[in-house]
Amino acid sequence: MLGLMQDRPLLITTIMEYAATYHPDHEIVTRAVEGGIHRTNYGEIAQRAARLAHALTRLGIHQGECISTLAWNSYRHLELYLAVPGMGAILNTVNPRLFPEQISYILNNSAARILFLDLTFLPQIEKLADKIPAVEKIVIMTDRAHMPATSLDNILCYEELVAAEDTRFDWPELDENTAAGLCYTSGTTGDPKGALYSHRSTVLHSLSACTRDSLGLSSAEVVLPIVPMFHVNAWGTPYAATLSGARLVLPGAEMTGENFYNLMRDEGCTIALGVPTIWLALLQYVATLKDQDLTSLPIKNFIIGGSAAAPSLIDSLEKTFDATVIHAWGMTETSPLGSVNRPLAKYAHLSDQQKMAIKVKQGRPPFGIEMKIVDDDGHDLPHDGVAFGRLMVRGPWVAKGYFKQPELNILDDDGYFDTGDVSTLDPDGYMTIVDRSKDVIKSGGEWISSIDLENIALGHPQVAEAAVIGIAHPKWQERPLLIIVPNAGETPTKQDILDYLQGKIAKWWTPDDVVFIEEMPHTATGKTQKRALRTLFSDFTFG
Ligand code: ADP
């Protein structure tokens, strides 16, 4: 027998309409790409999304088509987030930091006829123009006064496009499984792969993100997503913030510690989200400020994901701002929230050191996400916090396949997706990433976690960034090489670093060498680019 409850579809339009009805005056603040601070609210955003949907209809966009963006975190991008899926089309946010051939691959794969572009990215697209034949029109996300000179002839101005349109749109009542968003993984191997989110997966993910044990967004919070809207939908915060009515503060094109700090201070942000390198930039900037009481800022939570948050980073942020760091894990294929680290009540009495040992874990899955770890033969491993294996996940916001790649079966027999991460699961359900499976160092039949070594090395006061890669070794198969970027003006020696590690790691984990470089290569999503390091050190041999 079926239940007798209403079968209302879970649609992104309902998120927008709820915000427009119940939080119309809650603000969206943007550090505008054109300069200055721009203020709007959910009421106006919904009206402008309606105008945009009319304009796109006028341009011939129909349901099921992709619209691509290369854009920063801004109110116009939020309008696209709402209008495009709302009308039944698919929003494809492209990461402008990818290589040109990856960007053109994505634009050709999504077959978007309209590309929305922030001013910053015009030169990149001018160079790519003859490689993206499907793109018919490029909309520059600005007003007439700021329209740039360009060699392209198929250019439109965003504000002109929407100006004359109606502020009401008859949003279609779509099937909730209709595709809504398309994000590509950065494709560290092979071409980027597209995760295709649905309205249903997006709404469920947003509801989950708003729970107290997850990101905890609510109408009382002021949220600063520094993670870009071109990186897994800024971890879903634009939708979750709109659903909750949280005040949203968007940093625009200025990815500097100074901008983040000024926004946190001036707008009273309570929750800020980003990858570890972002927080390094913030900490470096605030270290230059004199006589500022940073602990009185209203910031409560820094949410860190994308790569491992080292204890030294957690500690610095918490002490500097008198705030709590929440470590989270996820990936493009998981929308991305797969786990969030909130402490269980029973940990309240633990010492600071014991609490830190828990905080560095990647956290527990929210309701909806199921996790298991398996060995290479697919057999379940115990959740004892020690055994480690391939992390497998399933849930209503986890991918079951890739866009336009129906031949790829990415699930096991029970419907679990292989994350490519190696993890432990402890008896309380906390997951710890040991490594990406391709980064783990295989030494004499045992594994060394590059993340663990990096986390410990980062605790050295003279170390800014650390990365560990495996170097081929005639006897042990691989041995760890520790690569360090020292803090500005510091010159630690190899012996200083090895002395620091001693006693903190098993002896056989000790790196066989330590090298110093000036700058760490980063991926398009701000992670250490291990592949580039492997190339850089391909001829390296241990002396
Ligand atoms: P990209 O490689 O394009 O940045 P994703 O954002 O999908 O792609 O990256 C997902 C991967 O990032 C995960 O599989 C995991 O290896 C890594 N990751 C994400 N969050 C964390 C975390 N908190 N700690 C360690 N690794 C993480």
Side-chain angles (χ1 to χ4, degrees):
M1 186 189 293
L2 295 179
L4 284 173
M5 305 310 281
Q6 299 182 5
D7 197 13
R8 301 289 299 146
L10 302 173
L11 297 178
I12 287 170
T13 345
T14 59
I15 293 182
M16 174 176 64
E17 287 181 334
Y18 182 80
T21 307
Y22 293 101
H23 304 112
D25 56 346
H26 284 206
E27 272 188 325
I28 290 95
V29 181
T30 303
R31 168 80 61 197
V33 177
E34 300 93 338
I37 291 283
H38 177 278
R39 289 176 196 280
T40 181
N41 56 42
Y42 287 112
E44 288 173 3
I45 287 276
Q47 292 186 353
R48 282 172 52 91
R51 288 173 183 235
L52 180 58
H54 280 295
L56 291 172
T57 308
R58 174 162 51 81
L59 291 175
I61 294 302
H62 46 73
Q63 294 190 358
E65 259 195 273
C66 288
I67 301 272
S68 295
T69 63
L70 263 94
W72 298 108
N73 296 10
S74 78
Y75 63 102
R76 293 193 187 102
H77 210 177
L78 180 62
E79 290 159 14
L80 282 150
Y81 262 59
L82 298 170
V84 172
M87 62 189 286
I90 302 165
L91 186 74
N92 166 226
T93 49
V94 185
N95 186 337
R97 296 178 186 143
L98 292 172
F99 295 117
E101 52 279 16
Q102 291 176 312
I103 295 180
S104 58
Y105 172 86
I106 291 173
L107 292 175
N108 290 325
N109 197 239
S110 76
R113 290 190 291 133
I114 303 188
L115 170 63
F116 283 77
L117 206 62
D118 262 330
L119 287 162
T120 331
F121 307 121
L122 183 60
Q124 260 168 282
I125 291 300
E126 282 174 335
K127 287 199 201 107
L128 270 188
D130 56 345
K131 304 216 167 53
I132 45 174
V135 174
E136 292 168 11
K137 296 221 162 11
I138 294 173
V139 183
I140 309 286
M141 295 164 70
T142 191
D143 54 17
R144 175 46 56 191
H146 292 92
M147 279 299 278
T150 170
S151 57
L152 302 174
D153 53 9
N154 50 350
I155 293 284
L156 297 171
C157 163
Y158 187 102
E159 290 303 327
E160 283 181 351
L161 183 69
V162 301
E165 301 293 349
D166 196 342
T167 55
R168 299 184 71 87
F169 186 83
D170 196 8
W171 301 105
E173 191 164 309
L174 305 162
D175 180 319
E176 64 179 16
N177 287 304
T178 304
L182 176 62
C183 291
Y184 286 76
T185 63
S186 17
T188 29
T189 50
D191 285 326
K193 296 189 282 286
L196 187 62
Y197 312 124
S198 66
H199 283 257
R200 175 187 152 84
S201 73
T202 306
V203 173
L204 291 174
H205 182 262
S206 307
L207 281 168
S208 173
C210 292
T211 57
R212 282 277 294 277
D213 279 337
S214 182
L215 306 186
L217 304 197
S218 81
S219 61
E221 304 295 344
V222 184
V223 183
L224 175 67
I226 297 176
V227 52
M229 286 167 79
F230 53 73
H231 182 202
V232 213
N233 286 343
W235 300 346
T237 46
Y239 292 122
T242 307
L243 183 146
S244 68
R247 197 156 163 261
L248 197 51
V249 180
L250 301 171
E254 246 182 83
M255 297 302 268
T256 61
E258 183 175 6
N259 185 31
F260 308 148
Y261 170 71
N262 289 342
L263 289 173
M264 279 168 55
R265 182 197 57 201
D266 298 345
E267 303 302 330
C269 302
T270 57
I271 301 174
L273 307 96
V275 297
T277 44
I278 291 298
W279 307 122
L280 286 180
L282 175 69
L283 285 168
Q284 279 164 6
Y285 175 72
V286 298
T288 66
L289 300 176
K290 301 272 173 293
D291 304 326
Q292 302 278 348
D293 181 14
L294 301 171
T295 58
S296 65
L297 290 181
I299 187 79
K300 285 187 304 197
N301 288 150
F302 290 98
I303 297 175
I304 306 187
S307 17
S312 52
L313 175 64
I314 298 177
D315 193 54
S316 306
L317 278 173
E318 294 198 335
K319 293 211 170 100
T320 306
F321 294 98
D322 188 23
T324 303
V325 166
I326 309 288
H327 196 185
W329 166 89
M331 55 199 309
T332 307
E333 290 89 335
T334 63
S335 293
L337 288 175
S339 69
V340 183
N341 191 328
R342 296 272 180 179
L344 290 171
K346 67 179 179 183
Y347 301 151
H349 69 282
L350 296 180
S351 69
D352 285 351
Q353 204 183 354
Q354 288 168 318
K355 283 183 184 159
M356 182 60 87
I358 294 168
K359 269 184 194 174
V360 295
K361 299 181 179 206
Q362 275 71 10
R364 304 190 329 143
F367 166 77
I369 295 289
E370 296 168 81
M371 279 184 180
K372 63 177 180 179
I373 45 173
V374 299
D375 64 18
D376 282 341
D377 299 322
H379 298 125
D380 284 357
L381 292 167
H383 298 188
D384 57 7
V386 180
F388 53 85
R390 281 153 49 200
L391 175 66
M392 313 285 292
V393 294
R394 69 177 180 191
W397 55 87
V398 178
K400 62 179 175 188
Y402 290 114
F403 183 62
K404 291 187 180 167
Q405 287 185 289
E407 69 288 356
L408 274 189
N409 176 16
I410 61 169
L411 306 183
D412 73 4
D413 291 346
D414 297 319
Y416 281 83
F417 167 74
D418 188 339
T419 62
D421 287 328
V422 176
S423 310
T424 62
L425 290 171
D426 77 12
D428 284 337
Y430 286 79
M431 183 272 286
T432 303
I433 302 270
V434 173
D435 236 321
R436 275 196 170 189
S437 53
K438 56 186 182 307
D439 293 339
V440 78
I441 294 150
K442 299 175 187 79
S443 173
E446 301 281 349
W447 284 11
I448 298 174
S449 158
S450 65
I451 294 185
D452 273 357
L453 274 179
E454 289 157 9
N455 276 350
I456 293 167
L458 281 166
H460 188 287
Q462 292 176 302
V463 171
E465 288 184 84
V468 175
I469 57 171
I471 297 283
H473 190 282
K475 180 165 176 205
W476 302 110
Q477 184 184 357
E478 275 184 345
R479 288 295 301 159
L481 169 68
L482 173 56
I483 302 158
I484 288 202
V485 177
N487 282 325
E490 306 273 17
T491 49
T493 64
K494 168 179 168 180
Q495 204 51 48
D496 293 338
I497 304 291
L498 292 179
D499 288 348
Y500 177 79
L501 296 181
Q502 210 188 5
K504 299 186 177 71
I505 51 172
K507 239 191 163 59
W508 65 277
W509 278 40
T510 307
D512 285 31
D513 208 344
V514 182
V515 292
F516 299 90
I517 58 174
E518 271 171 30
E519 202 183 333
M520 194 61 85
H522 289 123
T523 68
T525 50
K527 304 174 193 199
T528 302
Q529 200 172 20
K530 296 243 166 131
R531 199 166 48 151
L533 288 176
R534 284 190 201 104
T535 310
L536 192 64
F537 290 97
S538 57
D539 294 333
F540 186 90
T541 47
F542 295 115

